[in-house]
Amino acid sequence: MVFDWFRRKFDKSESESVPDTEQVEESAGEEEELVASEEEEKSQTVSEEVATDYLAWAKAAYQNIQQQQESASLVEPEPELITVETSDAPVDELKIETDSPDIEPDLEAADSETDVTVDEPEDTPASEESIPIWARDDRQQRLEQLKATAIEPEAPEAPAADVELDDDFLWSAKVLADRGRTPEQVSLDEINWLKKLRQGLDKTRRGFVNQLKALIGQGPLNANAVESIETLLLQADVGVEATDYVIETLQAKLRQESLPPDEAVAYLKQILRDLLDKPFQENYSSEFLPTQNELNIWLLVGVNGVGKTTTIGKLAHMTKSSGYQCLIAAGDTFRAAAVEQVKVWGERSGIEVIANPGQNTDPAAVVFDAISAAQARGTELLLVDTAGRLQNKKNLMDELSKIRRIIDKQANGAQVESLLVLDATLGQNGLRQAQVFAEAAKLSGVVLTKLDGTAKGGVALAVVQQLGLPIRFVGAGEGIEDLRPFSSYEFVEALLSG
């Protein structure tokens, strides 16, 4: 069973067939709508039931994950093959399945039909008499040295538990339960990712939530508390524009009614979610995933050092884990060791990398070769690494434009997306660099990396407010699985959770 991270669900079938007739499409559509409505009603009912008891929900999800791990660890042993060699050539192999208790080999019958000889091992140690006197001392000395340097195999350690029912697990389970998930639908991958996201935003949350609770805990939200919240947002690098939007919305709410502490936090979360989802109300689709059975090309752009190559390796791993055919194009041919770095990530994720062995080669030529290879192999997603130097802005943008022309000519009809990679640790400085690419490239969204190493996690709000771009993926760690599709609900809960 494949977990599709792009759709955040388990695929019930390994492959999907495309219907050929309109009648089949209509019937399939009706069935999907019926199943979707039933699942929605079921999820709403379940979420209402577990809303009052998250601990029971978390325990049920924990038991389900343990059962999944146990079933995955059960591997049937392969039948052992025993080879019996006869004295005549050629050698015939008699294969006996030793794991079949009902069948026993008739060795007496085999002896009556053919003579079975057991060859003595050739490496039987020779006697001291057969060895020359001048070589005996050397041989004994080598044997003693071999015994001294021999390494005995260590006993395999017991595998460590992959999941624990701790505070992070309970918080992750609550987030998934609030979104209408059932305990049977929860996977270990999701739990681990939510843990990493929460831990990655820990630096930002510690400086923001503690002071926010101190303000709101004093009583209903008032004008003085709102002014202090403004300071907290600016310290978290939310940016002036996004902070003004949040404060103005809060003040408008306060003119209508007073907000108790719990309602104030809930309303602040809603404001932040609405801000992060704002681009979806304009020109961008909320669904961002490769189209199956078609060629999709994603260009990753950004300055050097933000993590483009690392992001490509993680995206390739997630794509393969989600059941898509993927290929990588090493288009950053100018940065030293960039091609070797992307090749290492390709090996780790099991994805082939198309690269030019020469140095300072034309990136557009590499993309041309990668497109040809992707078309020949039926690849569904081609990830293109690009150069990120900003010493000469015009040359860099001309190079990106040339790559886009090659794609439009060579892969006419392919789904092309451009993702801007931003380093969260740079904060507002990263936004100034992003504006350069936003002016020249047709960007489809942002990949926010290195959230685990900064106290400026609020820059995600600034990205959306100032650039008007949706955040598509977010990274919170250096591991190959530490990049996942962005969810405004999960991000805000991780940012403002206690």
Side-chain angles (χ1 to χ4, degrees):
M1 185 176 291
V2 179
F3 185 77
D4 190 345
W5 260 107
F6 289 97
R7 298 184 184 272
R8 294 298 294 273
K9 68 179 182 180
F10 281 103
D11 288 340
K12 296 182 180 179
S13 60
E14 295 293 338
S15 60
E16 296 181 0
S17 58
V18 180
D20 297 329
T21 62
E22 296 181 358
Q23 182 177 1
V24 176
E25 290 179 355
E26 292 177 358
S27 61
E30 293 175 358
E31 291 180 359
E32 289 180 358
E33 292 178 0
L34 179 60
V35 172
S37 61
E38 292 177 353
E39 290 183 353
E40 183 176 358
E41 292 177 0
K42 181 180 178 181
S43 63
Q44 290 177 355
T45 304
V46 173
S47 60
E48 291 175 359
E49 292 176 353
V50 302
T52 57
D53 193 356
Y54 290 110
L55 181 58
W57 195 99
K59 288 181 178 179
Y62 180 75
Q63 293 176 357
N64 180 62
I65 290 176
Q66 283 187 321
Q67 292 176 359
Q68 293 178 3
Q69 289 182 303
E70 291 176 359
S71 60
S73 61
L74 294 177
V75 180
E76 297 182 358
E78 297 181 357
E80 183 180 355
L81 300 182
I82 299 178
T83 303
V84 180
E85 296 185 2
T86 63
S87 56
D88 297 331
V91 179
D92 296 328
E93 293 183 354
L94 176 61
K95 301 180 180 180
I96 304 174
E97 298 186 0
T98 60
D99 61 342
S100 301
D102 299 334
I103 301 176
E104 296 182 357
D106 191 355
L107 297 180
E108 295 181 358
D111 289 338
S112 61
E113 294 179 1
T114 180
D115 294 332
V116 180
T117 60
V118 180
D119 297 335
E120 292 292 334
E122 297 180 359
D123 56 347
T124 302
S127 61
E128 293 290 338
E129 297 179 356
S130 61
I131 301 175
I133 298 177
W134 56 267
R136 292 179 186 178
D137 295 338
D138 293 342
R139 177 177 177 275
Q140 187 66 25
Q141 189 176 12
R142 288 196 302 270
L143 287 175
E144 292 178 356
Q145 184 179 3
L146 181 61
K147 293 179 180 179
T149 58
I151 301 176
E152 297 182 359
E154 298 180 358
E157 299 180 358
D162 294 333
V163 61
E164 296 181 1
L165 190 60
D166 52 9
D167 180 64
D168 286 334
F169 188 97
L170 295 177
W171 174 84
S172 303
K174 180 181 182 300
V175 171
L176 295 173
D178 288 340
R179 306 201 70 186
R181 304 291 291 277
T182 64
E184 294 75 16
Q185 295 174 335
V186 176
S187 69
L188 179 60
D189 286 344
E190 288 181 293
I191 294 294
N192 288 338
W193 163 245
L194 289 175
K195 286 183 179 182
K196 292 176 182 177
L197 179 62
R198 189 189 188 199
Q199 294 168 0
L201 290 172
D202 183 63
K203 293 182 180 179
T204 306
R205 183 176 59 253
R206 266 186 279 170
F208 187 86
V209 174
N210 295 336
Q211 299 182 53
L212 180 64
K213 284 185 175 181
L215 291 172
I216 298 179
Q218 298 174 0
L221 201 63
N222 52 34
N224 293 331
V226 171
E227 184 176 351
S228 300
I229 291 176
E230 181 179 6
T231 303
L232 293 179
L233 291 173
L234 291 174
Q235 290 176 350
D237 228 13
V238 173
V240 176
E241 294 183 17
T243 300
D244 290 343
Y245 171 82
V246 173
I247 297 303
E248 290 174 2
T249 308
L250 273 176
Q251 290 175 341
K253 184 69 174 179
L254 288 177
R255 297 188 191 102
Q256 300 175 1
E257 58 178 324
S258 62
L259 293 176
D262 293 340
E263 295 183 11
V265 173
Y267 190 67
L268 179 59
K269 288 181 179 180
Q270 185 62 49
I271 294 175
L272 299 183
R273 286 196 296 266
D274 292 341
L275 177 59
L276 291 171
D277 293 336
K278 191 176 180 180
F280 302 138
Q281 302 173 2
E282 300 173 356
N283 302 324
Y284 298 93
S285 172
S286 59
E287 190 177 63
F288 190 81
L289 70 165
T291 304
Q292 289 185 335
N293 302 320
E294 293 184 13
L295 177 59
N296 302 263
I297 302 177
W298 290 2
L299 283 84
L300 276 82
V301 300
V303 299
N304 289 335
V306 295
K308 290 194 309 297
T309 304
T310 302
T311 299
I312 280 185
K314 296 177 181 180
L315 272 177
H317 174 76
M318 183 176 60
T319 301
K320 183 179 180 181
S321 302
S322 299
Y324 294 89
Q325 299 293 328
C326 183
L327 202 63
I328 299 176
D332 188 359
T333 59
F334 295 97
R335 182 171 64 89
V339 175
E340 287 73 14
Q341 183 182 2
V342 76
K343 285 182 178 180
V344 171
W345 277 104
E347 293 176 358
R348 292 181 62 185
S349 56
I351 302 297
E352 185 177 356
V353 177
I354 305 300
N356 193 313
Q359 295 182 352
N360 296 332
T361 55
D362 186 5
V366 177
V367 175
F368 180 90
D369 295 337
I371 292 175
S372 301
Q375 291 173 338
R377 302 172 191 181
T379 302
E380 294 173 313
L381 179 60
L382 174 62
L383 298 171
V384 180
D385 192 10
T386 61
R389 65 201 186 284
L390 277 178
Q391 288 81 358
N392 190 326
K393 184 175 67 175
K394 183 178 183 304
N395 289 347
L396 176 61
M397 297 309 158
D398 289 345
E399 181 180 295
L400 291 176
S401 300
K402 183 178 180 181
I403 292 176
R404 289 300 295 260
R405 290 196 302 270
I406 291 294
I407 292 175
D408 294 338
K409 182 178 180 180
Q410 184 72 4
N412 188 16
Q415 302 292 330
V416 183
E417 309 286 355
S418 295
L419 294 172
L420 175 64
V421 182
L422 290 180
D423 184 349
T425 60
L426 298 179
Q428 296 294 314
N429 293 330
L431 288 182
R432 297 186 184 94
Q433 299 171 354
Q435 292 172 352
V436 176
F437 289 92
E439 294 171 359
K442 300 177 182 179
L443 297 177
S444 306
V446 173
V447 180
L448 197 59
T449 64
K450 306 180 185 179
L451 273 179
D452 57 315
T454 180
K456 302 177 181 179
V459 72
L461 300 163
V463 168
V464 176
Q465 182 67 20
Q466 295 184 31
L467 300 180
L469 295 171
I471 300 177
R472 298 299 190 181
F473 300 93
V474 61
E478 298 180 358
I480 197 170
E481 296 184 350
D482 294 341
L483 181 83
R484 297 302 184 194
F486 179 78
S487 167
S488 61
Y489 185 86
E490 296 171 358
F491 181 84
V492 172
E493 289 296 320
L495 183 64
L496 297 182
S497 64

